[in-house]
Amino acid sequence: MSLELYFHPFSSFCQKVLVALYENDTPFEAHVVDLGDERSRADLKKIWPIGKFPVLRDRANDRTIPESTIIVEYLQQHYPGKTTLVPLDRELAWQTRLRDRFYDLHVSVPMQKVVTDRLRPAGQRDAYGVEQAKTQLRTAYDMIDQDMEKRTWAMDDAFTMADCAAAPALYYANLVVPFGDAHARAAAYLRRLVDRPSFARAIDEAKPYRDLFPK
Ligand SMILES: N[C@@H](CCC(=O)N[C@@H](CS)C(=O)NCC(=O)O)C(=O)O
C-alpha cells in the first residue's frame, strides 16, 4: 500500500479527504493523530511542521501532501477512480474549485471558530469573533440555499471535491448554527450528503469520538 494518511476521524478537514478516498475505494494506511499525545504530535510535525492535519504520504512517489484540497487534487491526478473528484473539463474544474474554497473558507472556518472558542479557558473567549463567525455562517447558508435550488450536488449531477468539502462543513455547521426553516434547501442537501455511503462511513467512524465536540 503506497498511501498513508495522517488524520483524525472527528476532524472536518480530515473527513473531507476520507470521503474522497472512500468514493473511489482508494486503499491507504491510517495514522490516527492524537493531539493530546506528544509522540503522535511529533510524528505529524516530522512530516508537516505546521502540525495540522490531514497530511498524505505517498511512498510510491516519495511525496508529502498537506492541505485537504491539494490532497484531493493529488488523488484525482495520481489515483483516479469511478468518482471524478475534479472535472476534467477546465470550465467545470474552476467552478468545482470555487465551491470547494467556499465550503472551506466560508463554512468550515467560521464553524471551527465557534467550536474552538468553546474550548478556550474561561475569560479568554472571543464573543465578538464568535458572533461574526455566526453571521458569516448565516450569509453562507443564504448563498447555499440559492445555489442548491436546482442541484443535487454542488456541481449539479456529479459528486465532486466540492461535495467532499461541503459534507463535513455543513454537518458540523448545522450543529452550531442550525439551518432551520429558512434554509430548507441547504438542509436537504446535507441530508443527501449524510446518505452518501462515503460520508455515512466517515460519520460512523467518527462516532466513538463525539464526546470531543464541546457542548
Ligand atoms: N487548510 C487546512 C486546514 C486543516 C485544519 O484546520 N485541520 C485541523 C483539524 S480540522 C487541525 O489540524 N487542527 C489541529 C491544530 O490546529 O492544532 C486543510 O484544508 O487541510
Side-chain angles (χ1 to χ4, degrees):
M1 202 180 305
S2 164
L3 298 176
E4 299 170 79
L5 184 69
Y6 289 74
F7 74 110
H8 192 284
F10 202 69
S11 137
S12 56
F13 284 107
C14 296
Q15 288 180 4
K16 169 175 158 186
V17 168
L18 290 173
V19 170
L21 288 162
Y22 295 159
E23 277 294 319
N24 287 327
D25 300 318
T26 310
F28 68 97
E29 191 183 316
H31 294 277
V32 173
V33 178
D34 176 0
L35 288 177
D37 179 84
E38 212 171 298
R39 192 157 161 199
S40 182
R41 258 197 345 255
D43 283 347
L44 173 66
K45 285 193 169 180
K46 231 183 274 165
I47 58 162
W48 182 233
I50 297 293
K52 286 192 185 268
F53 44 50
V55 180
L56 187 76
R57 272 282 309 150
D58 186 356
R59 281 194 292 253
N61 294 328
D62 193 18
R63 293 263 192 209
T64 299
I65 307 106
E67 290 296 328
S68 56
T69 299
I70 308 305
I71 295 173
V72 179
E73 294 261 9
Y74 184 88
L75 291 172
Q76 173 61 42
Q77 190 166 324
H78 294 271
Y79 298 88
K82 62 184 187 307
T83 300
T84 304
L85 300 162
V86 182
L88 305 178
D89 179 281
R90 290 170 66 147
E91 201 54 27
L92 294 175
W94 74 253
Q95 293 173 30
T96 303
R97 293 185 176 108
L98 172 61
R99 286 181 167 82
D100 167 80
R101 296 293 69 231
F102 177 86
Y103 281 105
D104 273 14
L105 298 175
H106 306 302
V107 181
S108 262
V109 168
M111 173 278 290
Q112 276 190 341
K113 169 71 186 169
V114 180
V115 173
T116 55
D117 195 79
R118 295 177 184 174
L119 300 169
R120 287 188 180 190
Q124 294 189 41
R125 302 227 164 100
D126 174 16
Y128 182 76
V130 166
E131 269 324 297
Q132 271 189 322
K134 288 184 173 176
T135 303
Q136 280 170 20
L137 280 177
R138 289 189 195 98
T139 303
Y141 290 180
D142 289 343
M143 293 173 69
I144 294 162
D145 226 54
Q146 249 187 356
D147 199 43
M148 293 312 293
E149 193 177 350
K150 294 196 181 103
R151 289 166 188 261
T152 303
W153 305 114
M155 288 301 294
D156 211 352
D157 288 340
F159 189 96
T160 66
M161 170 167 75
D163 303 294
C164 299
L170 293 178
Y171 183 82
Y172 285 115
N174 183 48
L175 296 179
V176 295
V177 177
F179 293 130
D181 296 338
H183 299 109
R185 286 191 287 258
Y189 175 39
L190 175 59
R191 282 196 295 275
R192 287 193 290 282
L193 289 165
V194 167
D195 285 344
R196 183 92 180 177
S198 55
F199 187 46
R201 178 174 168 188
I203 294 174
D204 207 48
E205 290 171 352
K207 272 186 188 147
Y209 304 96
R210 66 179 145 207
D211 285 347
L212 292 177
F213 195 81
K215 300 280 181 303

